[in-house]
Amino acid sequence: MAGNSEVMTIGVDLGGTKVETALVDAAGRILVSRRQPTNPEKGPDAVVANIVADIKTCQVEAGKTAEGIGVGVAGQLDRTGTLRFSPNLGWRNVSLKRKLEDALDIPVVINNDVRAATWGEWRHGAGQGVDDMVCLFIGTGIGGGVISGGQLLSGCSNTAGELGHMTIVAGGRRCHCPNRGCLEAYAGGWAIAERAQEAVNTNPQAAQRLVALAGDIQQISAATVTQACSEGDSLACCLVEETAQYLAAGVVGIINTFNPCLLVLGGGVIQGRPEYVSEVERIVRENALPTAVADLRIVRAALGDKAGVIGAAALVRDRMEKAM
Ligand SMILES: [Zn+2]
């Protein structure tokens, strides 16, 4: 099937709240897609049955048959395609690959959802034609993927690319992982909300706009902070400026470590406030090693929330073509 543009593959983006399934062609175009709530509490077999039903519906609607399935799942996988643990889904030791192969009898490739999105940006998005690229997705949490010398780094136990959990402040804020002071614990969406709520409690006089926008303190989110700052609220703008500094601290480490030609920034926090890209870039150019930034470009992700399905479909396609 090498180079056969008529061959279709399926991409599945399996997250804790929703699962998206898409039939994708060789150019990374989505022909048909379906999205539904995941309902992970019903168990893996029920969720897999829903995915299988969506795959069949996509094929019928497009009038085409897929020859492989790629899945990006929010969690840690081993090299056999077994999902070891997913905090978002609440599952442990689920053999997702085998369940899907048993149901559909075509090749299945499973990877972490953020790495699948990285693959999508690399093959069909902002990183096309680049051999050294890092994607950093800043959403509720922070995840990433590293392409080095045209290869996706996987690491010793398949967890490479957890860029959100690099320490930027020793002994700093408590993270959702065992560590303190992670990049995610400062600049992830959940952490921006937490920092904002703390600032409101410390300085209620200056926080009236944030509280009014959100309804009450507990409802203040990263999006509230972005909106209040765009209206010129000084406390919100202070939080935004600090967030840019934290992000840049992480990115300086990434650039000095991996020396990519291209850094792609994506995820809901960046989509909500694209100005972060130029602000981070300015700080990074001042602080990273001059040789590391000499040929560096920093850009926004191109595929938005479709990077996961497009990347998962490309992962299985590339695996199948390599096997030919
Ligand atoms: Zn962490």
Side-chain angles (χ1 to χ4, degrees), residues 53-141:
D54 275 355
I55 289 171
K56 289 180 175 167
T57 306
C58 285
Q59 294 184 125
V60 170
E61 279 186 25
K64 294 180 189 297
T65 305
E67 298 196 12
I69 302 167
V71 183
V73 58
Q76 295 139 23
L77 294 136
D78 68 15
R79 293 186 191 280
T80 70
T82 297
L83 180 62
R84 284 297 164 206
F85 179 49
S86 168
N88 303 39
L89 293 157
W91 296 353
R92 279 180 193 279
N93 299 318
V94 176
S95 46
L96 266 181
K97 178 179 157 74
R98 211 187 58 224
K99 284 178 190 292
L100 280 164
E101 280 176 344
D102 287 351
L104 290 156
D105 203 25
I106 53 174
V108 176
V109 170
I110 305 217
N111 214 318
N112 168 272
D113 59 344
V114 182
R115 275 203 234 149
T118 297
W119 198 272
E121 288 291 344
W122 183 41
R123 302 291 274 134
H124 299 294
Q128 291 177 65
V130 175
D131 276 349
D132 294 280
M133 175 190 94
V134 176
C135 280
L136 188 66
F137 295 100
I138 302 126
T140 305

Side-chain angles (χ1 to χ4, degrees), residues 161-180:
E162 291 285 0
L163 303 173
H165 299 286
M166 74 166 84
T167 305
I168 59 167
V169 181
R173 300 179 67 84
R174 162 86 45 217
C175 189
H176 291 167
C177 77
N179 194 22
R180 283 181 172 276

